[in-house]
Amino acid sequence: MIKSEWIEKGYVNEPIPEGIDLKSEIRRLCKEKNAVIMGHYYTRSEIQDVADFVGDSLALAQQAAKTTADIIVMCGVHFMAETNKILCPDKLVLLPDLNAGCSLADSCPADELAKFKEEHPGYKVLAYVNTSAAVKAHTDIVVTSSNAKEIVDSLPLDEKIIFAPDKNLGGYLNSVTGRNMLLWNGGCHVHEQFSVEKIVELKAQHPQAKVLAHPECKSAVLALADYVGSTAAILSYAKSEECGTFIVATESGILHEMQKCCPQKTFIPVPPMNGGCACNECAYMRLNTLEKLYNCLKYEWPFVELDAQLRERAKLPIERMLEISAKIKK
Ligand code: 13P
Ligand code: SF4
């Protein structure tokens, strides 16, 4: 029985039984229920350690599309759980805390995008995966930061394109593809906070270090980067480069995997402009805790539900993305 108290909070707030080993109980529940835990690189390290699969937005969608589990627990944010539900409508998709939203997805309300589209007939809409299902339903092709450039490149040169919602990623794509896409004015509150001054200072202190930046960062940050790429691309660059020190301008959760993969290398997170805060952490991602993960597996709540028609409309642009991505890989 789902309690009204849980609904009010958006997660199961039952006390955890005393003395249990949370990680092994989580794994036991997964086995018992044929559940799979997926985690984004930006979630807490203890969640990454207990997950079956950790990846960036593209890898998480690809993994969801092929899982044989009955239950998917998405330890990320709401749009990621929605994407899983769209790709796996018959599976139970759990999100440990329904409050795990995304400032970038919130910056693009579906009705406003629909209006913008109407004002620009003949334009194709490319939307970043960081959008609601309702926005995806107005989209021609979904992209992630891992495949956006290749997907833009796959379109005819004279194609008129609206890119939503991240203006920084859109601006970066315009610069590397030579396009002139119309950009939605949205952004991520984490990636927009990185301090240019701090990067310059860090570079002066570590002249050999390479600066890695996510394309959701502002152009002034990207201009200082030795390498710009998605979370997964930044990670593989750090693994393959001989350099021993990296200055990392993306959400600091990725440092856990970086350090795990390259224990001998040093990774320095770029602090935000307001040095005193923890703004290089995504507060939404951090809402996923081991306690909420355990409870949501135990009670099989909160789950994500979507209207069947909306799901079908949102599925098409995601499938187009997965198809183009698969071709790009070959
Ligand atoms: P990627 O997972 O594509 O790197 O995107 C980062 C992000 O902000 C996820 O919310
Ligand atoms: Fe959204 Fe930014 Fe958090 Fe990613 S890091 S989930 S884009 S708010």
Side-chain angles (χ1 to χ4, degrees), residues 109-175:
D111 55 342
E112 289 179 27
L113 179 67
K115 192 165 166 267
F116 193 69
K117 228 177 116 171
E118 254 175 47
E119 289 162 5
H120 296 88
Y123 276 74
K124 270 217 156 46
V125 177
L126 257 56
Y128 197 26
V129 70
N130 299 37
T131 44
S132 66
V135 163
K136 290 186 177 83
H138 291 292
T139 295
D140 292 291
I141 312 175
V142 166
V143 305
T144 78
S145 54
S146 272
N147 58 23
K149 179 184 176 300
E150 288 76 10
I151 289 182
V152 172
D153 282 340
S154 76
L155 298 173
L157 278 173
D158 58 352
E159 188 79 65
K160 293 192 282 185
I161 306 169
I162 293 170
F163 185 85
D166 193 301
K167 61 176 184 301
N168 297 319
L169 174 60
Y172 170 73
L173 288 170
N174 274 344
S175 72

Side-chain angles (χ1 to χ4, degrees), residues 2-294:
I2 298 166
K3 295 186 184 173
S4 55
E5 202 187 328
W6 301 351
I7 296 174
E8 224 170 88
K9 292 204 176 293
Y11 61 90
V12 180
N13 66 329
E14 296 292 292
I16 302 295
E18 257 180 58
I20 68 163
D21 174 355
L22 263 182
K23 282 189 182 169
S24 47
E25 277 305 296
I26 288 169
R27 292 311 320 164
R28 183 186 63 74
L29 285 170
C30 279
K31 205 167 168 204
E32 187 182 300
K33 300 183 180 219
N34 190 25
V36 71
I37 301 173
M38 301 203 189
H40 191 275
Y41 287 128
Y42 297 169
T43 47
R44 294 168 186 272
S45 42
E46 60 271 25
I47 299 260
Q48 294 186 41
D49 290 342
V50 84
D52 293 275
F53 183 81
V54 182
D56 70 349
S57 308
L58 176 62
L60 290 170
Q62 286 167 329
Q63 194 66 21
K66 62 179 185 201
T67 185
T68 54
D70 296 313
I71 301 178
I72 300 174
V73 192
M74 184 65 237
C75 291
V77 293
H78 197 271
F79 76 80
M80 296 176 177
E82 274 189 348
T83 303
N84 289 352
K85 187 67 188 172
I86 292 164
L87 292 170
C88 313
D90 301 331
K91 297 188 192 299
L92 181 65
V93 177
L94 302 171
L95 179 67
D97 187 333
L98 286 178
N99 303 299
C102 167
S103 58
L104 180 52
D106 289 347
S107 68
C108 187
D111 55 342
E112 289 179 27
L113 179 67
K115 192 165 166 267
F116 193 69
K117 228 177 116 171
E118 254 175 47
E119 289 162 5
H120 296 88
Y123 276 74
K124 270 217 156 46
V125 177
L126 257 56
Y128 197 26
V129 70
N130 299 37
T131 44
S132 66
V135 163
K136 290 186 177 83
H138 291 292
T139 295
D140 292 291
I141 312 175
V142 166
V143 305
T144 78
S145 54
S146 272
N147 58 23
K149 179 184 176 300
E150 288 76 10
I151 289 182
V152 172
D153 282 340
S154 76
L155 298 173
L157 278 173
D158 58 352
E159 188 79 65
K160 293 192 282 185
I161 306 169
I162 293 170
F163 185 85
D166 193 301
K167 61 176 184 301
N168 297 319
L169 174 60
Y172 170 73
L173 288 170
N174 274 344
S175 72
V176 293
T177 63
R179 306 277 176 140
N180 187 22
M181 300 187 292
L182 277 187
L183 306 183
W184 190 264
N185 187 19
C188 157
H189 74 295
V190 178
H191 288 90
E192 291 211 306
Q193 285 299 319
F194 293 115
S195 159
V196 169
E197 290 72 23
K198 296 276 168 51
I199 298 177
V200 173
E201 263 173 46
L202 284 168
K203 267 298 262 186
Q205 287 161 14
H206 308 273
Q208 310 301 337
K210 289 207 164 161
V211 177
L212 312 177
H214 195 282
E216 286 174 29
C217 296
K218 288 188 165 172
S219 57
V221 167
L222 299 183
L224 294 172
D226 295 285
Y227 182 76
V228 177
S230 69
T231 317
I234 287 177
L235 176 64
S236 43
Y237 182 87
K239 284 200 252 180
S240 63
E241 278 295 293
E242 277 185 12
C243 170
T245 307
F246 296 91
I247 297 166
V248 186
T250 190
E251 211 274 2
S252 57
I254 184 63
L255 268 74
H256 180 62
E257 186 67 18
M258 285 176 155
Q259 212 62 78
K260 239 163 94 176
C261 296
C262 316
Q264 75 289 6
K265 297 186 181 181
T266 305
F267 297 97
I268 307 167
V270 175
M273 286 179 257
N274 170 9
C277 71
C279 320
N280 60 3
E281 291 182 0
C282 174
Y284 298 116
M285 291 277 186
R286 308 292 153 138
L287 288 176
N288 296 291
T289 61
L290 281 183
E291 289 76 11
K292 289 178 195 165
L293 170 55
Y294 168 79

